[in-house]
Amino acid sequence: SLADKISETEFDVLHAHDRVMLHLATRIREKNKSAILIYESRELFHRWPLHVSAPGFVLWLKSWVVRRLEVRREKQEGSKADYLITVNESIAGILQKYFHLKNNPVVTRNMPRYEAVAERSDYLRKKFSIPTEYSALCQYIINQIVIFFNP
């Protein structure tokens, strides 16, 4: 298997950046017990909703069974992590308890620090002809700017 092949190399640290890689990392660690295992979880996978729009009962049942198995596997393997990296304090607290972690999670915010706005800029209003009486919210999503506004 891939885990067996990778296990031929001794690692000091294994970093699993999601639950799929966590499965591989825990398999590798079984053969390399001294390696430190770091799990990076950016979400609460166990709280994701079930894919309920699956057409037909059989597909719904299959989705339900697979989901239960995946959640159970993540919990078992996540509890083997020496360290956890996540994106905010609330998720850190939930996952600390959920995985029964020995060490406090490390929170890394992948966003710039807050900076107070000294003066208002109307750059986007002018660029997109948004009247000043409209409230605007800009959100940057994967190289796209989405602007929502209401009168």
Side-chain angles (χ1 to χ4, degrees):
S1 75
L2 179 60
D4 292 333
K5 185 68 178 164
I6 294 172
S7 296
E8 293 173 6
T9 303
E10 294 250 344
F11 295 99
D12 295 324
V13 177
L14 298 166
H15 174 244
H17 69 274
D18 61 21
R19 65 181 180 78
V20 175
M21 291 295 103
L22 177 63
H23 181 63
L24 180 61
T26 54
R27 300 252 337 260
I28 294 167
R29 189 174 190 206
E30 289 170 0
K31 297 179 189 222
N32 188 355
K33 297 194 185 308
S34 64
I36 294 169
L37 177 58
I38 300 171
Y39 178 33
E40 185 170 345
S41 178
R42 295 175 292 279
E43 67 273 325
L44 300 174
F45 176 67
H46 65 283
R47 292 194 179 168
W48 285 4
L50 178 64
H51 176 61
V52 294
S53 62
F57 177 74
V58 173
L59 191 52
W60 178 90
L61 182 60
K62 177 185 167 192
S63 296
W64 183 84
V65 169
V66 169
R67 172 101 180 110
R68 295 288 300 235
L69 292 172
E70 288 292 318
V71 166
R72 186 173 71 182
R73 183 168 80 179
E74 187 209 27
K75 184 166 187 173
Q76 289 171 344
E77 294 172 346
S79 66
K80 296 176 184 176
D82 296 301
Y83 298 95
L84 177 85
I85 298 171
T86 193
V87 294
N88 65 47
E89 294 295 334
S90 61
I91 291 177
I94 292 167
L95 292 179
Q96 167 103 34
K97 292 175 188 166
Y98 183 72
F99 292 129
H100 306 286
L101 299 172
K102 299 174 284 201
N103 298 300
N104 289 330
V106 174
V107 175
T108 58
R109 302 286 306 245
N110 294 331
M111 57 187 261
R113 292 192 187 278
Y114 172 78
E115 293 182 25
V117 178
E119 63 183 72
R120 182 183 174 125
S121 168
D122 286 333
Y123 173 78
L124 291 176
R125 286 190 184 280
K126 291 175 185 171
K127 181 170 178 67
F128 297 106
S129 301
I130 301 171
T132 56
E133 62 269 11
Y134 282 35
S135 298
L137 168 69
C138 290
Q139 184 175 8
Y140 182 74
I141 307 171
I142 310 172
N143 298 324
Q144 296 178 15
I145 295 177
V146 180
I147 300 175
F148 305 93
F149 55 91
N150 289 347

